[in-house]
Structure formats: C-alpha cells, structure tokens
C-alpha cells in the first residue's frame, strides 16, 4: 500500500534539471543547493560534455580539461581533475542519458496504453449518447408517423452530437414493421420518467400492499427503521463478509433515501466549523474494496468525520449496489455525516450500458424492476453539487462559462431522470409540446455540472471527445470562480494515474477514487481531506494490491507490461469486430496483392474504420508485422483472432456485425426488457437488429441471417434469448495475447 | 495530417517525403501526451517526449529546445505547431542521436574500476546520483527496481551484486522491438 504526495513519475521537471547543471560543475559535491546565478554559464560547459566525444572511451583530454578548468575557477575545491575522473564523469553521463531515454520510452508505452483505454471508454460514452439521440429522433419520428397531436418540438442545441439528424425520418423506412417496436422503446423510455413523476401518488402506494417475504434460508442482516449508527456499521460488516442484503431491505433503504433526498436543495451547503474537516471521495464505480480501504485509512463517516461522495459510485465495478447502499445508509444515519453529489453515471441511460442494471438483474431478479425504478428516482433527486464554507465548490464534472451558483439553486433537478435527454415531460408527466429556450439553458447547466472536463488551453468548447458537457480552459475557471466568489473547485469524472491532479494553476483539483480502474496497476485512487480554515486539501493516495504482491512492488516496466498487454487485447477486440471491413480497405490499397501496404495507408485506414484516434504509428509494432521493405503485413493482426463459440454456426459477417454492436444491443435490450428479467423474445431481438441497421447502415443485417443467428443463440429453443448467454457468445478468445 | 504522401524517387519530392514522415512520427508521439486533445502538451512532458523519440540531448540542450518551443503567452504549455517545427529540424539534421550500445557497456566497465563484473547497490547509487546529470531519488529508485532483476543469485540478499552485463540488455531492449 503506497501513500505519498509525490509528483507524477512521468517526467522530470526543469527545476530538477537546473540542479543537474550545478552538479556537473561541482563534480563530486552531492546535493548541491539550487541557485540560479551561474546557471547560464554552466549550460554552455554542459553541452561540451555530450557523449559524441566519448567515442570508444577515447577522451580528448585537452578540450575536456579546458572545460573543467573553466569551471574550477569558480569552484576552488575542484582544482585537480584527473583524466580518470573525466572518463568516469562521461561514463556516468552516458549511462544516465541512456537510462532517462529508457524510462521515457517506457513512459511513452504506458501513456499509449492509457490512450487506448481512454479513447475506447470515451468513444463508448459518445456511442451511448448517439444511441439516445437516435432514440430521441425515433420519439420525434414516431410522433410524426402516428399523426399524433403531441408533436414534440425539441429545440435542442444538443444537436452537435445528433448523429442521424433526420436521415431516418425522411426516408420513411421506420414506418411499418418497426413502428410497433419503436413505440415500445418509446413507451418504456417514457415510462421510466412517468413512473418517477407519479411515484409518490401511485407507484409507492401500490407497492406498499405487496409485502415481500423473507425466506428462512436468508443469512444476511435484518434492518428496521430508523437507520442508526449500529445498523450502518452492521451493513458495512455484512457486505465486507460478502453476505447479501435481502431485496426487502434494499427497497426499504432506497425508499427512505428518496424521502430524505427530496428535502434537500440542489446544492449541499457544508460548514467545517463543527467537524473541523471534511473528506471528498471521487468516482468509486462499484469498487467496494476501494471504499473499504478509504474507511480503514480515514475512519467511518460521522458528524465529526463527514464525507462528500462526488458522484459515479455505480456502474463498471461489480458491487455498485453495495457501494451505493453504504453511501445511502450513511446519509440516512446522519445528513451531516454524508453528502452526495450526482455523477454522470447516476443516470439510467448510462446504467443500461455500463453494468449497473445488469448487476441489479443478477442480484435481485424478482424485485429488479422495483429496485431499478427506485434507483432512478434517487438519482433524479441527488443534489448536483456541494459548497464547503462558501469557498470550495465540489461538483462531479465541472463548470462552463454559464455556471452561476444562484442559477443552479433554481433548477428543478428531479426533472432530469436522465441528464442526457432534454426535459420533454412536464410536471404532470405529459409531453411538453414546445421546449423553450429557458428549459434548454437549464438543462445545459445540469449537463455542464455532470459532464464537463477542464482543458489545458484557454476558452470553451463542446466536449465532443466524450459527447456531453463542455471543455473549459483556465480563463473560464478564473472568471467563474470570481463571479461565484470561490477559492477552489474539486471535481472527479476523469481517471488520473496518481488518483488526483491539479490543473489551472491549482484552482481545479481532480479526485478519482477507484484504483486499478482500467487494469491492475493502471492507476492509484485518491481522496482529499479539507481542514477548516486551511485552503489546501491534504491528498491521500492508495491502491489495492493483489494478495501475493504485497511484499513485492512492481517496477514501472513490469507494471507497464501488464497494462499494455491488456490494452492491446481491448484493441484487438475492435480489430476482430471490424475484420471484414478492415481487410477490404487494406486490400484496396494493396494493388499488387502482396499482402502488405505502406505504414501511412495502414494507419489511416485503421483509424478511419475503427473510429479511434490513436497513435497508430507507435501501436503498429504491437499489432502487425512488417515485411522486409518496411511495409505492414496487414493480415498478421488477425492471426489467431476468432469468435470461438459462434464461429461455425452463423455466418461470419453477421457475427462480426453483432459483435461490433453488442454494447448497443445490450443497451436496447435493457431498455425494452421492462421487467428486467434478462430475457427477450426472438422477435424483439430481430427488431433490435433492424433498428441497428438504421443506426449504422453498414451493419447490413439481412432477415435470413438474423433469423439464423437468433436460432443459433436460442439454445433451448423456447423462443427466448437469454441476454447473458448472448453476451457470453461474444467473449472474444484470442490466442495472440 | 491524413494527407496522403506517395513516395517518389526524385530529389525534391523525396526530401518532402522524408519531412512528411518525420512529422507524422512527431504527431503520434505528441498526441500520446496530449490528454485533452487540445493540440498542446504540458511543458513538463516535453523531455519525456523527446527522449521517447530516441534522442538524448544534454540537459542544457533540452532547455534550449524547450525555450525555442515556448510561446510568449503561456510558458506551461507547448503547442503542437511549435513542437513540430523545432523537432522536425532536430530529426532532419539527425541531432542528439544516442551513442551505440557498445559504448554503454564500456561506460559501465569504466565505472567498475576493479573489474569485478558487478556493482553493489551503493556503487550504483553513488555513480548515478553524484556525477554527471544526477538521477533524482525517484529515478534512482526506479533504476534499482529494474536492476533487481539482474542480481547475481549467489550474492547475499543484504549485499546484492548487480550484474551490469545483463542490465544493458534491459536498457537496449526497447529498440529491438521497433
């Protein structure tokens, strides 16, 4: 377990460099003090000692001695310099440079692996947004098709990411066979929102009547209201021991949480006067072990040791339910012990893709619908930010040039069951016919808070890299902080290698608390503690080690090898999913049919087809072989790559297409699988595929091939496809990695 | 950047082709460090980028390169255009190439004054942190960790012998992969 406040290992800074010049001058005096006075001169002498003159250890004594004599005028203690030490000095220099070069090259490999993870992660987020933009188009479209009076006019300037615009509406393809299906998607989507609108009136009441029985075999803990300190501690212990919590109690906690959250304002206002300190936790993403480690190191939440959870505690990890229930219970125990901010993953649109809904279905199958609906309601009522001592603003994503705290107070936050869709329902759950500019501006305030990232350069631009919110520069930060009278903004939302990062002249602090987020060894987690009256938070880094590694810490090289292998594997999955299209493009350039193309062509085609902007020139060495002329043997990437389970059953083309869209398919499945049973009918599966044809015209699912695939996957021939089995079928096995 | 360049044998075009290739290489290296995709990198990253391009300028030359790249307004950020302009010149003129690997073996031998064939941990720390362009504590730590793979298995645990002959392979292995 590591705990330090080190600067990132990535590079050595200039201050350190100037130390080095000094050391050359003083030859053997170690740890010389850094003064700037004679630095310029030393730089000159330094350049004379480069290793070009070090050919075969034959030093030119004259020249070298002169240079050192010049130095020795300044440093009397170094007056006698023998040839022997010259050589030693040069040898040391040579090794040090080689070593730095070696480290930098490893650093480059590490960052390249990070690039892969991040690019794939963000392109997934973009994809999910596009999918929901597509749904929006469908909603709009379906209203037109039905000649309904409720013509929704979405004046959304979100349209920069509206991929399909009106393309599918005009050609009228969706009328007919698909319209029933579209209505179903629409219906289930609206139901989510309507249920939570009317929740207090109907849904909750109805549920009260049906008592959930506890089986005698149940071994977990029992909970009675109110939530006390002891119950909170017991719950943590319960989950630590890997015991389940009964659906009845899950629902009980969630219902209480909804009630309590409704009383809160959009921004939590916190004072450290009494507690003297407060701890901020960033993204946890269902990583219960990280939360446990934080509690172990920093103590359990209490009025004297309050916590702010800055969003994104669900999705991706496998214990999102446990993590969120602990947070909610802490909040119910004492509302001055736990404060919660909403993150971009506290949103059912994200949950359909990133695993939280899947987790609920797996763990609480019989009650999954209730639990999903309750979570949605909780998410919509979560405060958007927290203000500490009026000076420190804690928010999941960030700010934009429009951010005004007093405006955020006015937002009707519960309207945004999903932040990713414009608020098209009014208070009564009816569709708003005309979305006015005010509504759009309000919506954008929410998007900016939950989705934005800071950037190095000045100005503001849409966050097209991730798909939502904006990218804001230091000038924007300065302006917003001045307008709102702030000293510091703490945000999360981005994974950082050391778990935290300062940017914009220390005005913005990113805190990310899920360690090993991309892969084992990829990053530390971190949290920060703010002491009353102190402007600078104390940052604590941590990471979880796998049992056997506790005694042996990995060298950078070993760590990089691990994350690199795994990153390349992710990338190879993309290659496999797009094999046919890649090969046909490569072959177009391979006019003489040699099996190889130029590096330029290979990089361009690969980037275009996979739609990933990555340093392909660097990655090539890990992905494809070269022939003797330095051309890329493009087929070498695919050697040993296959989808083993469906290889011989369906036709290869369609399995590739399905694989490429498996995330989208899963999202649609989750959206239409209203009772969250994890099963869909073959008809629904066919309709999903057809929908994807409109989403991505290159998918080209033909009716007969979809039929074949559906039959192949329906192993027990009951007419239903189990979603888990569907996904299992596409687990890529690669002999190469 | 996606503009296509087809190699042509005749003089001027060939030179252009080489420059185009160099710039593509620079773009890729730069992009890896441009996390927020704003076509800029933190000035602290520049030495790492330059080293990763297999260049070994002295610390002084490194400073000069960075000064040349800096933009008046914001010295914390290096812009893509400036970086490429400076570095294209470096690569075209084949500056700052590392010495070949035989020399590094010789260098290690030179420092082994008694011809033992190994270093102790203390030897290595002394050599790397007191002379030349000293490694800082963090770098030194990493170096020792890498070296731990090349310890003579027969040497005592409290006084490990680092067999530098094998360590060289580690330092040069990156090149053979490209």
């Amino acid at each position: 377990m590591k705990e330090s406040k080190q600067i990132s290992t990535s590079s050595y800074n200039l201050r350190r460099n100037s130390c080095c010049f000094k050391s050359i001058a003083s030859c053997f005096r170690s740890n010389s003090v850094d003064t700037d006075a004679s630095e310029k001169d030393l730089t000159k002498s330094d350049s004379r000692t480069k290793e070009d003159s070090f050919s075969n250890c034959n030093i030119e004594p004259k020249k070298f001695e002169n240079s050192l004599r010049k130095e020795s005028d300044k440093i009397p203690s170094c007056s006698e310099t023998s040839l022997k030490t010259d050589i030693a000095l040069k040898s040391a220099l040579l090794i040090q440079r080689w070593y730095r070069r070696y480290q930098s090259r490893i650093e480059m490999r590490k960052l390249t692996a990070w690039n892969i993870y991040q690019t794939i992660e963000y392109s997934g987020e973009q994809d999910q947004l596009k999918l929901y933009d597509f749904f929006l188009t469908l909603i709009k479209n379906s209203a037109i098709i039905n000649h309904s009076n409720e013509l929704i006019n979405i004046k959304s300037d979100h349209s920069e990411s509206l991929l399909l615009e009106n393309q599918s509406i005009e050609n009228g393809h969706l009328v007919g066979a698909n319209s029933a299906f579209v209505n179903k998607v629409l219906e289930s989507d609206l139901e989510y929102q309507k249920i939570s609108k009317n929740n207090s009136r109907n849904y909750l009441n109805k549920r009260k009547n049906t008592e959930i029985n506890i089986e005698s075999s149940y071994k977990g803990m029992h909970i009675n209201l109110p939530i006390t300190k002891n119950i909170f501690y017991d719950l943590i212990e319960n989950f630590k021991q890997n015991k389940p919590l009964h659906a009845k109690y899950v629902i009980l906690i969630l219902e209480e949480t909804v009630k309590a959250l409704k009383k809160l304002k959009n921004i939590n206002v916190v004072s450290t006067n009494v507690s003297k300190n407060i701890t901020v936790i960033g993204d946890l993403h269902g990583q219960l072990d990280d939360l446990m480690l934080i509690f172990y190191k920093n103590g359990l939440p209490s009025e004297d040791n309050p916590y702010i959870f800055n969003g994104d505690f669900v999705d991706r990890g496998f214990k999102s339910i446990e993590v969120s229930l602990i947070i909610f219970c802490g909040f119910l125990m004492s509302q001055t012990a736990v404060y919660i901010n909403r993150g971009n993953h506290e949103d059912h649109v994200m949950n359909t893709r990133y695993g939280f809904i899947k987790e609920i279905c797996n763990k609480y199958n019989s009650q999954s619908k209730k639990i999903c609906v309750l979570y949605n309601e909780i998410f919509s009522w979560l405060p958007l930010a927290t203000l500490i001592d009026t000076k420190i603003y804690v928010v999941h994503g960030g700010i934009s040039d429009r951010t005004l705290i007093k405006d955020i107070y006015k937002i009707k936050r519960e309207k945004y069951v999903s932040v990713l869709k414009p608020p098209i329902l009014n208070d009564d759950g009816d569709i708003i016919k005309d979305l006015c500019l005010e509504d759009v501006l309000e919506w954008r305030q929410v998007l900016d808070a939950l989705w934005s990232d800071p950037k190095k350069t000045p100005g503001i631009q849409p966050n097209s890299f991730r798909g939502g919110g904006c990218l804001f520069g230091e000038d924007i930060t300065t302006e917003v902080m001045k307008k709102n009278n702030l000293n510091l903004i703490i945000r999360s939302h981005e994974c950082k290698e050391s778990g935290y990062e300062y940017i914009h002249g220390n005005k913005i602090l990113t805190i990310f608390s899920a360690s090993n987020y991309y892969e084992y060894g990829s990053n530390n987690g971190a949290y920060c503690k703010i002491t009353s009256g102190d402007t600078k938070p104390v940052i604590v880094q941590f990471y979880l080690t796998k049992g056997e590694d506790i005694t042996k810490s990995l060298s950078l090289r070993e760590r990089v090898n691990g994350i690199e292998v795994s990153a390349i594997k992710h990338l190879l999955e993309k290659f496999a999913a797009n094999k046919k299209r890649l090969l046909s493009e490569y072959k177009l350039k391979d006019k003489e049919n040699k099996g190889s193309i130029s590096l330029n062509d290979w990089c361009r085609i690969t980037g275009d087809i996979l739609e990933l902007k990555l340093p392909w020139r660097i990655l090539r060495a890990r992905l494809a072989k070269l022939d003797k002329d330095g051309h890329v043997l493009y087929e070498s990437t695919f050697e040993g790559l296959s989808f083993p389970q469906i290889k011989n059953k369906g036709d290869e083309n369609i399995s590739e297409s399905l694989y490429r869209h498996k995330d989208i398919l899963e999202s649609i499945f989750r959206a239409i699988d209203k009772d969250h049973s994890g099963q869909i009918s073959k008809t629904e599966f066919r309709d999903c595929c057809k929908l994807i044809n409109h989403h991505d015209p290159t998918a080209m699912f033909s009716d007969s091939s979809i039929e074949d695939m559906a039959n192949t996957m329906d192993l027990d021939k009951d007419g239903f496809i189990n979603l888990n089995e569907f996904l299992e079928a596409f687990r890529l096995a690669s002999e190469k990695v | 950047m996606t503009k296509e360049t087809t190699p042509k044998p005749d003089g001027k075009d060939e030179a252009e082709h080489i420059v185009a290739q160099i710039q593509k290489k620079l773009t890729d290296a730069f992009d890896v460090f441009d996390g927020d995709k704003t076509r800029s990198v933190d000035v602290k990253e520049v030495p790492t980028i330059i080293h990763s391009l297999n260049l070994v300028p002295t610390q002084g030359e490194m400073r000069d390169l960075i000064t040349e790249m800096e933009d008046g307004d914001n010295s914390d950020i290096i812009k893509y255009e400036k970086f490429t302009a400076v570095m294209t010149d470096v690569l075209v003129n084949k500056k700052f190439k590392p010495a070949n690997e035989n020399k590094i073996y010789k260098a290690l031998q030179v420092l082994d004054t008694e011809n033992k064939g190994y270093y102790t941990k203390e030897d290595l720390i002394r050599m790397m942190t007191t002379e030349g362009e000293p490694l800082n504590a963090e770098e030194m730590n990493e170096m020792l960790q890498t070296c731990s793979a090349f310890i003579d298995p027969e040497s005592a645990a409290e006084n490990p012998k680092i067999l530098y002959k094998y360590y060289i392979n580690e330092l040069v292995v990156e090149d053979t992969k490209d």
Side-chain angles (χ1 to χ4, degrees):
Chain A
M1 238 168 271
K2 191 172 79 177
E3 189 177 322
S4 67
K5 274 180 272 172
Q6 63 187 29
I7 316 166
S8 114
T9 54
S10 64
S11 60
Y12 46 99
N13 55 29
L14 289 170
R15 196 173 58 246
R16 196 194 307 156
N17 291 355
S18 66
C19 267
C20 299
F21 310 139
K22 288 240 79 90
S23 307
I24 295 166
S26 55
C27 278
F28 294 100
R29 289 184 313 172
S30 58
N31 303 328
S32 60
V33 188
D34 186 10
T35 54
D36 285 333
S38 58
E39 207 177 287
K40 269 268 144 52
D41 302 354
L42 298 174
T43 311
K44 268 183 229 148
S45 77
D46 173 51
S47 61
R48 231 169 290 140
T49 60
K50 61 183 172 186
E51 67 259 8
D52 298 44
S53 58
F54 184 73
S55 55
N56 300 317
C57 298
N58 285 327
I59 306 288
E60 300 160 72
K62 202 90 189 171
K63 193 175 163 193
F64 197 69
E65 223 168 287
N66 282 343
S67 81
L68 283 169
R69 191 164 299 144
K70 206 174 144 198
E71 297 310 322
S72 66
D73 295 341
K74 291 179 207 117
I75 309 145
S77 66
C78 214
S79 55
E80 284 296 309
T81 313
S82 70
L83 181 62
K84 209 173 168 187
T85 48
D86 291 346
I87 299 173
L89 172 68
K90 292 205 169 190
S91 301
L93 268 172
L94 182 61
I95 297 164
Q96 283 152 352
R97 282 192 201 132
W98 264 80
Y99 175 71
R100 289 201 167 106
R101 191 199 64 112
Y102 162 81
Q103 282 297 96
S104 298
R105 289 173 79 82
I106 291 184
E107 182 68 25
M108 169 68 95
R109 283 169 49 202
K110 182 184 77 190
L111 273 177
T112 307
W114 264 71
N115 262 257
I116 296 173
Y117 287 124
Q118 209 180 41
T119 307
I120 290 178
E121 176 183 9
Y122 290 176
S123 87
E125 284 181 351
Q126 270 187 5
D127 217 30
Q128 187 71 351
L129 287 183
K130 282 179 195 164
L131 184 67
Y132 271 80
D133 281 339
F134 176 60
F135 276 173
L136 272 184
T137 317
L138 288 182
I139 293 171
K140 209 163 143 189
N141 184 22
S142 137
I144 296 164
I145 293 166
N146 296 334
H147 300 288
S148 155
N149 294 329
E150 292 180 311
L151 186 69
I152 316 155
N153 193 1
I154 306 163
K155 277 187 207 151
S156 148
D157 49 353
H158 188 49
S159 61
E160 58 229 13
S161 59
L162 264 172
L163 170 78
L164 289 152
E165 287 283 287
N166 297 321
Q167 139 196 347
S168 51
I169 301 178
E170 257 76 68
N171 61 26
H173 273 312
L174 285 167
V175 192
N178 272 340
S179 66
F181 178 70
V182 167
N183 280 335
K184 199 168 170 184
V185 173
L186 168 68
E187 209 183 288
S188 77
D189 204 48
L190 290 182
E191 195 197 22
Y192 259 125
Q193 305 192 23
K194 276 188 177 166
I195 283 173
S196 25
K197 296 292 161 203
N198 303 325
N199 191 314
S200 47
R201 294 203 291 274
N202 310 324
Y203 206 77
L204 266 177
N205 295 343
K206 221 188 284 170
R207 197 183 307 129
K208 281 261 159 65
N209 300 334
T210 50
E211 268 300 313
I212 304 167
N213 292 321
I214 294 181
E215 308 78 15
S216 55
S217 58
Y218 174 66
K219 294 238 170 18
M221 69 180 291
H222 296 270
I223 293 178
N224 288 309
L225 294 177
I227 304 291
T228 59
K229 208 157 111 182
N230 284 340
I231 293 177
F232 175 57
Y233 292 176
D234 287 349
L235 183 75
I236 292 173
E237 202 47 45
N238 191 73
F239 287 148
K240 226 190 238 173
Q241 292 170 11
N242 249 329
K243 287 184 192 160
L245 186 70
H246 199 277
K248 178 181 169 143
Y249 300 128
V250 174
I251 289 167
L252 184 73
I253 293 173
L254 296 180
E255 284 175 347
E256 285 303 301
T257 308
V258 172
K259 280 188 220 159
L261 284 173
K262 280 185 178 174
K263 294 177 191 146
L264 298 183
K265 295 208 168 82
N266 292 343
I267 299 178
N268 295 309
V269 177
V270 183
S271 159
T272 55
N273 265 341
V274 178
S275 65
K276 299 297 171 210
N277 67 69
I278 191 157
T279 303
V280 182
I281 309 292
D283 298 30
L284 283 165
H285 282 301
Q287 298 189 183
L288 182 65
D289 293 341
D290 283 319
L291 181 61
M292 290 302 162
L293 185 62
I294 293 168
F295 283 166
Y296 173 78
K297 290 165 87 77
N298 194 54
L300 290 171
S302 69
E303 275 107 352
D304 300 328
N305 189 25
Y307 278 74
I308 298 169
F309 289 93
N310 196 22
D312 278 19
F313 32 87
V314 300
D315 271 345
R316 295 182 187 280
F318 301 111
K319 297 204 166 169
S320 295
I321 294 176
E322 287 83 349
V323 168
S324 58
L325 288 177
I326 288 173
I327 294 173
F328 296 156
C329 250
F331 166 72
L332 291 173
M333 168 189 78
S334 167
Q335 293 187 21
T336 54
V338 170
Y339 300 90
I340 315 171
N341 290 345
R342 188 173 185 180
N344 66 315
H345 275 271
E346 277 72 55
D347 188 316
H348 74 91
V349 170
M350 301 303 281
N351 301 153
T352 54
R353 188 185 191 118
Y354 291 101
F356 185 43
I357 289 182
K358 187 176 173 182
E359 184 185 329
I360 296 172
C361 293
N362 290 344
K363 289 182 180 164
Y364 295 102
N365 199 313
S366 63
Q367 301 296 330
S368 53
K369 183 176 179 178
K370 270 183 197 173
I371 293 175
C372 283
V373 169
L374 275 167
Y375 265 110
N376 284 330
E377 200 177 3
I378 287 175
F379 292 165
S380 73
W381 282 103
L382 285 175
L384 302 171
T386 300
L387 195 57
I388 306 171
D389 296 334
T390 73
K391 288 292 183 190
I392 302 174
Y393 185 62
V394 186
V395 65
H396 180 72
I399 51 165
S400 74
D401 50 348
R402 296 175 289 257
T403 301
L404 265 181
I405 289 179
K406 67 176 172 52
D407 286 350
I408 293 179
Y409 275 117
K410 292 181 204 151
I411 295 170
K412 293 200 110 184
R413 67 177 189 275
E414 68 277 15
K415 264 198 311 206
Y416 303 93
V417 176
S418 170
V419 175
L420 298 172
K421 282 172 284 185
I424 51 165
L425 294 184
N426 67 14
D427 294 348
D428 299 321
D430 298 326
I431 292 172
I432 299 171
K433 290 173 189 174
D434 241 327
L435 205 62
C436 66
L437 185 65
E438 253 170 62
D439 291 330
V440 171
L441 285 177
E442 184 190 277
W443 174 44
R444 294 196 65 160
Q445 285 271 14
V446 181
L447 272 177
D448 290 343
L450 268 50
W451 277 86
S452 296
D453 291 314
K455 61 172 181 139
K456 298 188 292 280
T457 49
I460 189 142
Q461 65 193 75
N463 196 349
S464 50
F465 191 28
R466 291 180 88 150
C470 61
L471 291 168
F472 55 97
E474 187 171 350
D475 50 335
I476 305 294
T477 301
T478 310
E479 196 191 307
V480 167
M481 286 178 83
K482 204 174 154 200
K483 264 197 290 192
N484 293 287
N485 196 18
L486 299 169
N487 280 345
L488 175 71
I489 294 173
I490 301 177
R491 42 88 61 182
S492 300
H493 196 42
E494 282 178 288
C495 180
K496 298 288 176 192
E497 195 196 344
S498 45
Y500 76 96
E501 192 175 283
Y502 276 105
I503 191 174
H504 294 176
N506 293 352
K507 289 193 281 292
I508 303 253
L509 170 62
T510 300
I511 288 285
F512 193 87
S513 306
S515 71
N516 304 306
Y517 177 64
Y518 288 125
E519 181 59 35
Y520 182 65
S522 69
N523 65 292
N524 286 340
Y527 59 87
C528 74
K529 199 157 188 163
I530 295 145
T531 312
S532 186
D534 199 352
T535 45
K536 214 168 161 56
V538 174
I539 293 159
V540 181
Q541 294 176 289
F542 61 88
Y543 69 88
L544 286 163
T545 46
K546 284 181 191 164
E548 71 268 27
D549 289 338
I550 287 170
T551 48
K552 183 180 170 271
S553 66
L554 296 173
S555 75
L556 180 65
R557 164 86 191 280
E558 288 167 302
R559 233 160 35 85
V560 168
N561 280 347
I563 65 170
E564 192 176 49
V565 163
S566 155
I568 295 292
K569 193 173 170 183
H570 283 285
L571 209 49
L572 283 173
E573 286 183 15
K574 300 274 173 197
F575 273 90
N578 293 282
K579 183 177 174 182
K580 203 179 149 84
R581 289 198 300 160
L582 281 168
L583 282 178
S584 72
E585 284 292 314
Y586 293 148
K587 279 182 178 143
L588 278 181
K589 282 283 163 198
D590 181 18
K591 296 204 174 72
E592 290 162 49
N593 219 357
K594 291 187 296 187
S596 63
I597 53 174
S598 75
L599 183 58
N600 275 352
D601 288 336
W602 186 84
C603 292
R604 189 181 44 77
I605 292 170
T606 310
D608 286 354
I609 300 281
L610 300 185
E611 291 175 35
L612 296 172
K613 195 181 175 300
L614 285 169
W616 295 109
R617 209 160 280 269
I618 295 167
L619 287 168
R620 196 280 314 152
R622 323 257 153 200
L623 292 166
K625 294 180 185 131
L626 293 183
D627 68 8
K628 56 185 188 316
D629 305 323
H631 287 105
V632 183
L633 292 159
Y634 51 84
E635 279 176 336
S636 61
T637 312
F638 302 97
E639 285 162 13
L641 280 180
S642 61
F643 309 103
Q645 296 185 39
I646 49 171
K647 191 163 61 181
N648 302 319
K649 291 172 185 167
D651 94 65
E652 200 185 334
N653 191 12
I654 188 162
S655 25
E656 203 179 297
S657 284
L658 281 174
Y659 184 81
R660 195 161 69 239
H661 291 287
K662 74 178 167 42
D663 292 338
I664 294 180
L665 277 166
E666 184 176 1
S667 291
I668 303 176
F669 283 179
R670 298 278 178 214
I672 61 165
D673 178 21
K674 272 193 268 179
D675 55 359
H676 300 294
S677 63
Q679 283 207 332
I680 59 154
S681 71
K682 269 201 280 185
T683 320
E684 283 170 338
F685 174 70
R686 266 198 301 275
D687 290 341
C688 282
C689 293
K690 282 181 191 156
L691 201 58
I692 282 174
N693 268 346
H694 291 283
H695 185 65
D696 172 10
T698 65
M700 304 216 277
F701 294 119
S702 72
D703 284 351
S704 62
S705 56
I706 295 171
E707 196 67 45
D708 287 348
M709 278 308 288
N711 285 330
T712 307
M713 281 187 279
D714 178 21
L715 294 172
D716 52 7
K717 307 291 170 205
D718 64 350
F720 286 92
I721 295 163
N722 180 318
L723 190 48
N724 289 332
E725 280 168 15
F726 166 78
L727 292 171
E728 280 300 303
F730 290 97
R731 182 171 291 173
L732 181 77
S734 155
E735 297 144 26
K736 204 168 176 180
V737 179
Chain B
M1 280 312 111
T2 52
K3 212 184 88 182
E4 209 157 326
T5 45
T6 36
K8 277 178 194 150
D10 45 80
K12 198 186 159 201
D13 282 347
E14 195 184 3
E16 273 174 18
H17 176 68
I18 290 168
V19 170
Q21 290 302 319
I22 284 174
Q23 287 188 340
K24 284 207 171 87
K25 191 175 165 186
L26 289 171
T27 306
D28 258 17
F30 188 89
D31 282 351
V32 170
F33 290 82
D34 177 18
D36 57 7
K37 308 289 173 223
T38 50
R39 297 189 84 62
S40 61
V41 295
D42 193 311
V43 70
K44 291 197 294 264
E45 306 283 12
V46 174
T48 313
I49 306 179
I50 291 175
H51 280 142
S52 75
L53 288 162
N54 208 7
L55 302 171
V56 283
T58 64
Q59 306 275 14
E61 288 161 341
M62 187 70 90
R63 269 175 62 89
D64 292 346
L65 286 175
I66 291 171
T67 312
E68 223 180 310
M69 291 173 196
E70 269 168 1
D71 206 32
D73 307 340
N74 190 345
S75 60
D76 296 341
I77 288 172
I78 298 296
K79 288 191 180 138
Y80 169 78
E81 289 74 19
K82 288 269 196 172
F83 173 84
T84 336
V86 173
M87 292 313 291
T88 304
D89 179 59
V90 168
L91 288 181
V92 167
N93 293 308
K94 300 191 165 62
K95 289 183 195 164
F96 314 131
K97 287 279 181 194
N100 79 44
E101 54 198 73
N102 294 329
K103 284 183 193 165
I104 195 169
Y105 183 45
K106 282 186 181 135
L108 284 161
Q109 277 179 320
V110 165
L111 293 176
D112 176 19
T113 43
E114 293 159 43
N115 256 327
K116 293 179 294 190
Y118 67 86
Y119 295 131
T120 63
K121 209 171 138 185
E122 288 70 32
D123 286 341
L124 197 64
I125 294 175
R126 184 175 40 76
M127 287 169 351
M128 291 296 110
T129 58
T130 58
E131 292 180 44
E133 300 173 336
L135 304 184
N136 69 3
E138 199 183 303
E139 288 172 315
M140 193 63 236
N141 223 356
E142 271 298 333
M143 186 185 233
L144 288 173
Q145 236 162 7
T146 329
C147 286
S148 66
F150 308 99
I151 287 170
D152 181 356
E154 309 209 333
S155 62
E158 65 273 13
N159 193 20
K161 296 173 180 173
I162 299 157
L163 302 169
Y164 58 81
K165 195 166 94 185
Y166 302 106
Y167 179 56
I168 295 165
N169 293 334
E170 177 72 16
L171 286 186
V172 299
V173 72
E174 294 309 302
D175 288 337
T176 53
K177 277 189 182 171
D178 285 353

